[in-house]
Amino acid sequence: DGNSGLELVDRDEEGVDRAFRADVLTGLSEAQKAIPARWLYDDAGSQLFEDITELPEYYPTRAETEILTARGADFALSIGSDRAVVEFGSGSSVKTPLLLRAINPAAYVPLDISGDFLRAAAADLSTKFPGLPVYPVEADFMRKVALPQAVADMPKLGFFPGSTIGNMVARTAVDLLRTMRETLGAGSQLLIGMDLIKDTGVLEAAYDDEAGVTAEFNLNVARRINRELRGTIPVDDLRHRARWNDNFARIEMHLEAQRDLEFNVAGRAFAMAKGETIHTENSHKFDRRSSAILLLAGGWTPVQRWTDEEGRFSLILADA
Ligand code: AVI
């Protein structure tokens, strides 16, 4: 990020992201090879995810948008207009304006680790809401964030749409919810999106679309390894897989070797037997109870819950 002068990524002399290399080398050395899902989102991956949200099979974005559109009056009643909205991961999405329109908050604080993305989103919001004070903060929201002084005395509403919490295992999700509570402070509220358990065929199709966009999104992490970590992974010999793991109530994305493979990454040799996979993402799905338990474990008490007409997705309001 050339503009802010603030570099949140730790790079070595050659410009290699140290955390990326460490995660990949460790993950490829495990019995079940795995790469943390956050590495799916370089520029190409972020664009592919945007494309995914428009696929006919990928219902979550549309379902959540439907709730935000249909329930605006409810939100206004339950949340009030005196709060500062703090969005975890500033959306370039259509969702934020829908919420801001509905509750007419006192301020908007988008948090994002990507400065460029953040400034673009903040500028867009300022144009759409000329009277709304917008205070963008470049930060990693997995850690406690110091919010701008201007909103210090306002009660906060955390906004975490998209069911991104579902991409974390329970332990990480609970840590994040607790960190959010620390960031937002006593008396705050949280409006959080959580995707719901449903027919396995519907879920698997949402993560393995006809057009192959999700496959590209998944394979992109292998391309990224080749590009950034001097990798020689034969990407054409990997196949995208999306499967429901009922024990963990989650969709898992994997990259499956189509033949025995040998390759290098950052000077180290790796092998995969035909049929072996690299686990690249979890997307946990919830029901009323499991979502409540997760929130409670994270220090939040659910107070209201909305779903779309078809009951595919939930937005939950919780109190700190
Ligand atoms: C960002 N996250 C909520 C998406 C999901 O549905 O778990 C990421 C995604 N992976 C494949 N398709 C979409």
Side-chain angles (χ1 to χ4, degrees), residues 197-215:
I197 298 170
K198 59 184 61 63
D199 175 74
T200 303
V202 173
L203 284 171
E204 288 183 345
Y207 292 82
D208 192 5
D209 60 281
E210 212 44 64
V213 181
T214 311

Side-chain angles (χ1 to χ4, degrees), residues 179-200:
T179 302
M180 287 174 162
R181 203 176 178 285
E182 281 179 41
T183 295
L184 297 171
S188 57
Q189 294 178 309
L190 178 67
L191 185 62
I192 184 169
M194 293 198 191
D195 194 16
L196 297 173
I197 298 170
K198 59 184 61 63
D199 175 74
T200 303

Side-chain angles (χ1 to χ4, degrees), residues 139-178:
D140 175 6
F141 62 71
M142 300 298 285
R143 310 213 183 115
K144 185 182 174 184
V145 178
L147 296 179
Q149 197 51 43
V151 301
D153 296 328
M154 298 177 192
K156 315 292 187 302
L157 171 76
F159 185 43
F160 195 38
S163 202
T164 301
I165 195 82
N167 294 127
M168 296 161 207
V169 295
R171 184 189 290 250
T172 313
V174 166
D175 284 350
L176 174 59
L177 290 166
R178 292 191 168 267

